[in-house]
Amino acid sequence: MRAFGFLSFGHYGGNPSQGGITARQMLHDAIDISVGADELGVNGAYFRVHHYARQSAAPMPLLSAVAARTQRIEVGTGVIDMRYENPLYLAEEAAALDHIADGRVALGISRGAPEAADRGWESFGYTGSTDPRGADIAAAKFETFLQAIQGHPMTRAAAQPYMSDAAPHAPLAIEPQSEELIRHIWWGSGSRATAERTGQQGLNMMSSTLLTEANGSAFGDLQAEQIDVFREAFREAGHTHVPRVSVSRSVFPILSDRDRVLFGAGGGNGGDQIGIIDGTRSTFGRTYVGEPDRLIEELKADAAVMSADTLLLTIPSQAGVDLNLEILQNFATHVAPALGWKPNTEGPVVGDPVTA
């Protein structure tokens, strides 16, 4: 690990008199947390994407606002649900965001997690899936998205192209284009199969606190094995650029009695959990809570944390700006340096070379 960011679920709702927040407040808090994190040297600001739920949904306006208000922090998603997306419109938005952010973009994309709605992507107009999880249309749309951001023609010009210098019937690519955008795309991987495919495609890999595998190995070991599979597939495919890998964890340093009340002195003592999600036996990672010395020891023993270049800390975003910045500052001050962290003032995050 040499970098860390935060991952916000963007929860809102509830009675404001009892600590609930509105969608407006959630979005403004997200921007303010990102600005403060940028000043602390945090390397990334990432946001979950869910539909038909009181959580972050449409990421591009938020990411654009964060990019415009910050200087060094990477802005991204964890992850965009491709089942709900128009791939060409997403390609236009992603390229525009990459320009606004001056390349500080890390777009995590995947098939998507279970959603509140039953086949909710169909209400967005995306029908025809024969997979109850929508994996088939997600894969097809993602391939179109990748082609679009790399400048492949998506249609042809009209016989008399209006307000365009294109020749009649000439092939047309989406605009704008951002030449380096393909290097800023991550796939949300939760299994060996998706890790291998991500490496073959030459993308970056994002892995969360949920893996759709369970073989008895510790969560960190299982995730580290998937990272190895990704890097080997990347190398064998002949890619020569340097990929990135991120993993997510819930980590809460305890530095005061108030921290113990908020996060629980023994909250991190539990182990990994096994459960069923989308009909698949899955492994859920533990939460780390403790004093800094203990957290350093435990995170160093987490094989995936030490194998990835970037660690994403899930934060209780609905708890407000001040508390979340305090969590990030405590981690940056008392834990991250011992794990190899380099703040954003030292430049963009670089992955690990995997070529032979």
Side-chain angles (χ1 to χ4, degrees):
M1 188 209 99
R2 66 183 65 90
F4 84 91
F6 70 83
L7 175 61
S8 171
F9 284 65
H11 292 293
Y12 61 92
N15 189 330
S17 66
Q18 298 176 347
I21 62 172
T22 64
R24 179 193 295 270
Q25 187 66 53
M26 179 273 289
L27 290 166
H28 282 279
D29 282 358
I31 296 169
D32 290 341
I33 292 170
S34 300
V35 170
D38 189 35
E39 295 170 353
L40 290 171
V42 176
N43 308 92
Y46 294 76
F47 299 91
R48 288 288 295 267
V49 181
H50 281 291
H51 302 281
Y52 291 112
R54 291 180 177 179
Q55 300 180 42
S56 295
M60 292 304 177
L62 175 57
L63 296 182
S64 297
V66 170
R69 289 276 308 277
T70 56
Q71 299 297 317
R72 296 175 299 274
I73 198 167
E74 195 170 61
V75 298
T77 52
V79 291
I80 293 173
D81 188 331
M82 203 65 205
R83 297 171 296 185
Y84 285 79
E85 296 294 328
N86 178 312
L88 299 189
Y89 189 53
L90 180 62
E92 292 177 337
E93 289 185 313
L97 173 64
D98 204 45
H99 287 307
I100 291 170
D102 294 324
R104 294 181 291 120
V105 169
L107 284 186
I109 300 173
S110 81
R111 182 210 77 196
E115 290 282 326
D118 180 17
R119 298 177 70 95
W121 58 89
E122 293 183 346
S123 67
F124 276 50
Y126 304 120
T127 59
S129 173
T130 59
D131 184 328
R133 300 175 301 169
D136 49 356
I137 62 170
K141 291 199 286 183
F142 185 62
E143 181 60 32
T144 300
F145 169 78
L146 292 179
Q147 293 292 312
I149 65 172
Q150 293 178 87
H152 292 274
M154 294 290 114
T155 189
R156 291 190 175 276
Q160 295 180 318
Y162 180 66
M163 296 185 67
S164 172
D165 58 2
H169 305 298
L172 297 178
I174 64 103
E175 294 289 350
Q177 287 284 321
S178 178
E179 184 177 344
E180 289 299 309
L181 178 58
I182 186 64
R183 300 289 176 248
H184 305 156
I185 303 302
W186 304 59
W187 184 259
S189 176
S191 67
R192 284 176 175 79
T194 54
E196 181 177 24
R197 185 167 64 248
T198 303
Q200 291 169 345
Q201 291 177 298
L203 304 171
N204 304 303
M205 189 175 95
M206 180 177 288
S207 188
S208 73
T209 54
L210 165 67
L211 300 178
T212 54
E213 292 183 343
N215 62 8
S217 298
F219 181 89
D221 293 339
L222 181 59
Q223 196 171 47
E225 292 172 9
Q226 293 181 7
I227 294 173
D228 290 342
V229 168
F230 160 76
R231 288 177 172 150
E232 179 63 18
F234 188 99
R235 184 189 66 78
E236 290 186 350
H239 301 296
T240 57
H241 63 282
V242 178
R244 295 271 307 280
V245 175
S246 73
V247 297
S248 299
R249 296 290 186 272
S250 297
V251 183
F252 299 101
I254 300 295
L255 280 90
S256 67
D257 290 338
R258 189 197 64 162
D259 293 340
R260 288 185 175 86
V261 171
L262 289 174
F263 308 120
N269 292 330
D272 305 330
Q273 298 182 38
I274 305 297
I276 303 295
I277 187 168
D278 264 2
T280 302
R281 193 165 183 260
S282 304
T283 306
F284 302 81
R286 53 168 287 192
T287 294
Y288 290 91
V289 180
E291 295 180 352
D293 288 347
R294 173 182 153 192
L295 291 181
I296 291 168
E297 180 181 344
E298 291 179 341
L299 290 169
K300 280 186 173 181
D302 188 318
V305 169
M306 301 313 295
S307 180
D309 56 76
T310 302
L311 171 63
L312 303 186
L313 303 181
T314 61
I315 61 169
S317 56
Q318 67 272 32
V321 176
D322 292 342
L323 178 60
N324 280 286
L325 288 179
E326 184 177 327
I327 293 169
L328 296 175
Q329 183 172 27
N330 286 344
F331 187 82
T333 302
H334 300 284
V335 180
L339 302 178
W341 174 55
K342 297 183 182 300
N344 64 33
T345 52
E346 296 191 22
V349 184
V350 178
D352 296 295
V354 297
T355 52

